[in-house]
Amino acid sequence: MASPSSADVQASPPVAIVCVGMAGSGKTTFMQRINAHLHSQQKPPYVMNLDPAVLSVPFDSNIDIRDSVNYEEVMKQYNLGPNGGILTSLNLFATKVDQIVNLLEKRAKPDADNPERKPIDTVLVDTPGQIEVFVWSASGTILLESLASSFPTVIAYIIDTPRTTSTSTFMSNMLYACSILYKTKLPMILVFNKTDVKDASFAKDWMTDFEAFQDALQRDESSDALGGVEGCGHGGSGYMGSLLNSMSLMLEEFYSHLSMVGVSSRLGTGVDDFFAAVEDKRQEFMRDYYPELQRRRDMREEERNKLRDRELDKMMQGMAVGQPGASKTADSEDEVDVASDDDYDSHDNQKGGLQERYQAALGDNDDSVMADASFAKYLHKQR
C-alpha cells in the first residue's frame, strides 16, 4: 500500500468494510442492502462470508468460509458446542488468510488477460452473529490485521435501533462499540439499523448533547425503566443511575471519533449516508491509521533483524569461530579441545580465521537473506 499522500489517496486500494453486530441486529440484511446498492451503481463488491453456522445468505459470496470448513463436522470431531464450533472453524479458516489477501490484491489490480473485468472498489465482510467470537478471538485479530495491512479497513458496527431506546441498553451498546474500537484500532461507523421501525434521531441527540441524555436518564429513573435495585431508592435511581451518568461523561470523547448513520436495511434509506461515512473513514485510515500501522510493521521488522543477529552471534560463539585461543578454557576443570582458527591455519596453511575465509568465499552476497544458511553449509564442507 502506497504512502498516504494526496495522489495516493485518490488511487488507493479498495476499502474493506467489516460488518459486526449483535445477533438479531440485522447485520446480514444490511450486507444484502449495501451489496445491492453497489451492484446498482455498476460497482460490484467482493463479498466474504465468515459465518460458518449460517444456513443460507441472501447474497452471493466470492469467498465463503463454508466452502472450506464444515461447521457441523468440526463440532462432532472436536466435541464442541455452537460457539466453540464457530471459533474453531474461524481458527481453521485463518490458516488460509495469506491466500485470501493475495487473491484480494490480485482482484484489486487490472487483469491483463481480461481487460473488461474492472478492479474491485469495495470488499464486504460478513461476520458471525456471536460478535465476541470474532472480535476477541485470535483468528478474528489475524483476519482484521491482514486486511488492514493491505487495504483501508473500516468497522461497521450494526445496532438494533428499536432495542436501544432506553438509556441502559444504549449505554451497553456504546460500551461494546468502545471496546471494539480500542481492540481493533480501526476506524468505526455506528450504523443504527431498522430506522423504518424507530427513527435514530434520539441516538444522535444523546451522542451530541449531554443534557439530552441526562433528561432521558431522569425519565427512565422516574419510570423505573432502569430496573430499581432494592434499597437504592425509587425506581432506577441510586447505583444504576449514577453509573450511567458517569459513563456518559466518560464516553463524550469517544463519541467525537465516531461516525453515526441511520439506515433502514428493508427500505434502503440512509445507504448513501453510510457510503459517504465510509469514504471519510477511508481517508482517516490513510491519514491517521496507516502511518501507525507502518510504524508498528517497521518495529516488528527491526526486532526480527535484532533477533537474527543475536542468534547468529550465539552460533559463532558456540563454535568458537574467529577467536584464537578459544579452544581451551583456562578456568574450566575439564578442558575440552575445540577446533580453533589456528588448527585450520596449520591444516590449510592459510592466514586468517574461518570467518574471513567464509566471507571471501561468499563474496558480495554477505548481506543476502540466505547468508546464515550459506555459512552453515560452508562450515559443513570444511570438516
Side-chain angles (χ1 to χ4, degrees):
M1 194 159 56
S3 172
S5 62
S6 58
D8 294 328
V9 169
Q10 296 175 356
S12 64
V15 60
I17 304 173
V18 181
C19 297
V20 299
M22 299 286 190
S25 61
K27 175 167 46 59
T28 301
T29 309
F30 174 75
M31 277 278 298
Q32 179 190 21
R33 173 58 63 181
I34 60 177
N35 180 39
H37 178 81
L38 291 172
H39 275 280
S40 67
Q41 294 187 338
Q42 305 301 318
K43 297 178 179 178
Y46 202 86
V47 183
M48 295 173 55
N49 172 45
L50 298 183
D51 190 350
V54 66
L55 295 178
S56 62
V57 290
F59 49 80
D60 294 330
S61 301
N62 300 95
I63 297 177
D64 197 324
I65 188 175
R66 297 174 299 170
D67 296 335
S68 304
V69 182
N70 190 318
Y71 167 68
E72 294 181 352
E73 288 298 322
V74 168
M75 291 178 61
K76 292 178 182 178
Q77 182 175 351
Y78 296 98
N79 193 26
L80 300 170
N83 286 347
I86 293 175
L87 179 59
T88 304
S89 298
L90 282 170
N91 290 340
L92 294 171
F93 187 73
T95 61
K96 304 178 183 293
V97 67
D98 291 338
Q99 302 176 34
I100 296 170
V101 173
N102 290 337
L103 182 59
L104 291 174
E105 290 177 343
K106 182 179 179 181
R107 287 291 287 111
K109 300 175 182 178
D111 189 352
D113 298 331
N114 188 6
E116 295 181 356
R117 187 173 68 176
K118 298 180 180 179
I120 57 175
D121 293 326
T122 309
V123 179
L124 301 181
V125 183
D126 192 16
T127 60
Q130 289 80 352
I131 184 173
E132 68 282 352
V133 172
F134 179 78
V135 176
W136 278 275
S137 67
S139 55
T141 301
I142 291 171
L143 289 165
L144 284 176
E145 289 186 351
S146 299
L147 278 176
S149 66
S150 298
F151 309 102
T153 304
V154 177
I155 302 293
Y157 181 59
I158 318 301
I159 299 174
D160 189 342
T161 307
R163 295 185 178 180
T164 317
T165 53
S166 71
T167 53
S168 58
T169 54
F170 174 82
M171 189 57 62
S172 298
N173 264 298
M174 294 301 103
L175 289 174
Y176 220 113
C178 181
S179 63
I180 294 173
L181 176 67
Y182 288 104
K183 175 65 172 64
T184 61
K185 297 181 177 64
L186 293 171
M188 175 181 287
I189 302 173
L190 297 182
V191 181
F192 283 85
N193 196 15
K194 306 181 183 180
T195 54
D196 53 305
V197 178
K198 174 66 177 179
D199 187 75
S201 58
F202 74 93
K204 185 175 182 180
D205 291 340
W206 289 355
M207 292 175 63
T208 56
D209 188 352
F210 177 76
E211 296 297 333
F213 182 80
Q214 292 299 309
D215 293 341
L217 182 59
Q218 292 179 3
R219 288 196 301 269
D220 286 350
E221 288 178 347
S222 60
S223 63
D224 201 17
L226 298 181
V229 180
E230 185 178 356
C232 291
H234 173 70
S237 60
Y239 174 75
M240 279 299 296
S242 176
L243 177 64
L244 292 177
N245 183 54
S246 300
M247 288 190 296
S248 65
L249 288 170
M250 177 194 70
L251 292 178
E252 211 170 7
E253 179 67 19
F254 167 69
Y255 295 148
S256 63
H257 297 283
L258 295 179
S259 295
M260 175 266 182
V261 294
V263 174
S264 171
S265 298
R266 187 174 71 88
L267 301 179
T269 56
V271 175
D272 290 330
D273 295 336
F274 170 74
F275 280 105
V278 168
E279 177 60 23
D280 291 340
K281 292 301 178 181
R282 183 188 67 81
Q283 295 183 14
E284 179 182 333
F285 180 95
M286 299 298 292
R287 183 181 66 251
D288 300 331
Y289 286 78
Y290 178 77
E292 175 63 18
L293 184 67
Q294 187 64 40
R295 186 186 67 82
R296 286 186 290 169
R297 185 184 302 159
D298 293 340
M299 287 179 61
R300 287 195 297 268
E301 183 65 25
E302 183 179 354
E303 288 298 324
R304 280 195 293 266
N305 291 335
K306 290 181 179 179
L307 178 61
R308 173 178 172 272
D309 293 339
R310 286 197 299 267
E311 292 300 323
L312 184 58
D313 290 340
K314 289 180 182 178
M315 184 180 69
M316 300 283 288
Q317 293 173 6
M319 293 184 295
V321 175
Q323 297 180 7
S327 58
K328 296 184 179 180
T329 304
D331 297 332
S332 175
E333 296 180 359
D334 299 323
E335 295 185 356
V336 180
D337 290 336
V338 180
S340 67
D341 287 346
D342 295 335
D343 298 331
Y344 280 99
D345 287 342
S346 60
H347 178 72
D348 295 334
N349 195 24
Q350 294 179 355
K351 297 297 182 182
L354 177 61
Q355 173 68 12
E356 295 177 3
R357 296 201 304 279
Y358 165 69
Q359 296 294 345
L362 189 62
D364 296 332
N365 294 324
D366 56 341
D367 291 332
S368 65
V369 177
M370 299 301 294
D372 297 344
S374 301
F375 185 42
K377 292 179 181 178
Y378 183 79
L379 289 175
H380 181 72
K381 291 179 181 179
Q382 297 298 317
R383 293 177 181 175

